[in-house]
């Protein structure tokens, strides 16, 4: 990672991550494309209008459908879905957490049932590396267990220690194999430890010692208070290498992102922009809008007066509300695209403020505005 500027009043920093599919400016938000698509948004719109530099794919979902045979025959996910920019693939560790009723965690790996047809499968650190080689992400994640919140200390400790053993196996497999396609892949380990400072410290130190190309912070934004999330993030960012990207997984609201940038995080992903968009919640520069509310029925002003997205130039609040009330699919598409464009605008603006040396004062002012309900 090339560091270009640090904020004088916080740990915020601006930089660049170089991959064979392009350069990623940081801080960056990564739209979630779980099954090879960002829900309700064309990938050409994600590229051209949202201006995303990198998207996510998910190992668990892509492994089950369309499956490795199809993906390998296509030449990897980039060629399968036509996305020419970088892709990060999540290892499936979060699904280990979320599918608690249909999986069994063992030292060797995780046995689970498909949510599609009930068939049984196993993920191990080794085959998760092999699967991500076939999917072809530019950045691939180590296999981990994401602990729930609340979580007993002893369970968090045992889970973290197992995640570390899994990481060592991931590294061995990664080093003894080659990419399936004609570009490099980078492996990111994941710090765990729940909300316990001593465990987070141990995990961050272990992950830092692996000297990977970048590092992630997992197991947060799973129900713990925001202040606890910030406390754990600050602790971990103080230990992880300064010259490597730091990725806070699954976070979060616009305020979460800005506060975490201030703590030293470079990369984010979250389903919130598209999930909330499909349900009529819009994030704007002036605050949060529930477009289904009657108050927008005859409001013909644009969604974002200052233009954070191309859709703002085309559609009014009244028209978008009409689409939701009429249950037209276009409503979810417009709202999702707007929210993604807003998130990418937000991290780009944060980057600009870091480069100008004005991030902290700007962040403190705008966080309050972005969090208010309109």
């Amino acid at each position: 990672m090339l560091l270009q500027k640090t904020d004088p009043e916080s740990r915020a920093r601006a930089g660049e991550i170089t991959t064979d599919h392009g350069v990623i400016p940081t801080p960056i938000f990564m739209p979630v494309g779980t099954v090879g698509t960002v829900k309700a948004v064309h990938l050409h719109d994600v590229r051209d209008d949202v201006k995303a530099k990198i998207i996510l794919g998910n190992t668990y979902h892509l492994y089950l459908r369309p499956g490795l045979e199809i993906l390998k025959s296509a030449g990897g996910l980039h060629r399968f879905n036509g996305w020419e920019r970088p892709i990060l693939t999540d290892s499936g560790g979060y699904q280990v957490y979320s599918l608690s009723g249909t999986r069994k965690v063992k030292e060797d790996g995780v046995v689970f049932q498909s949510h599609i047809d009930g068939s049984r499968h196993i993920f191990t650190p080794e085959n998760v590396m092999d699967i991500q080689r076939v999917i072809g992400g530019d950045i691939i994640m180590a296999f981990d267990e994401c602990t729930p919140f609340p979580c007993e200390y002893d369970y968090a400790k045992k889970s973290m220690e197992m995640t570390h053993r899994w990481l060592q196996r991931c590294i061995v497999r990664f080093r003894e194999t080659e990419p399936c396609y004609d570009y490099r892949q980078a492996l990111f380990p994941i710090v765990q430890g729940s909300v316990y400072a001593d465990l987070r410290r141990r995990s961050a130190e272990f992950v830092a010692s692996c000297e990977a190309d970048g590092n992630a912070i997992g197991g947060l934004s799973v129900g713990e208070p925001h202040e606890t999330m910030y406390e754990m993030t600050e602790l971990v960012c103080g230990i992880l290498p300064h010259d490597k990207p730091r990725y806070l997984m699954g976070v979060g609201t616009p305020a979460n992102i800005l506060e975490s940038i201030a703590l030293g995080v470079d990369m984010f992903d979250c389903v919130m922009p598209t999930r909330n968009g499909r349900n009529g919640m819009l994030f704007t520069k002036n605050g949060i809008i529930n477009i289904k509310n009657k108050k927008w029925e005859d409001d013909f002003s644009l969604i974002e007066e200052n233009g954070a997205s191309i859709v703002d130039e085309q559609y009014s609040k009244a028209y978008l509300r009409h689409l939701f009330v009429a249950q037209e699919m276009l409503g979810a598409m417009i709202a999702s695209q707007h929210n993604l464009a807003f998130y990418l605008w937000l991290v780009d603006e944060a980057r600009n403020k870091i480069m100008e040396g004005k991030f902290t004062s700007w962040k403190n002012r705008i966080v309050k505005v972005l969090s208010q309900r309109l």
Side-chain angles (χ1 to χ4, degrees), residues 327-359:
Q327 298 183 342
E328 283 289 337
M329 288 186 290
L330 182 59
M333 296 170 67
I334 293 171
S336 297
Q337 186 174 333
H338 166 83
N339 281 349
L340 286 173
F342 174 79
Y343 268 61
L344 267 294
W345 169 84
L346 185 67
V347 292
D348 189 52
E349 192 69 5
R351 176 182 167 82
N352 291 338
K353 296 301 181 183
I354 294 168
M355 297 296 284
E356 295 169 4
K358 301 176 181 178
F359 172 78

Side-chain angles (χ1 to χ4, degrees), residues 151-159 193-194 196-199 202:
C151 177
E152 294 292 334
Y153 180 89
D154 287 345
Y155 184 88
K157 179 173 180 291
K158 290 177 181 177
S159 175
S194 188
Y196 301 103
D198 61 323
L199 298 183
R202 279 182 54 193

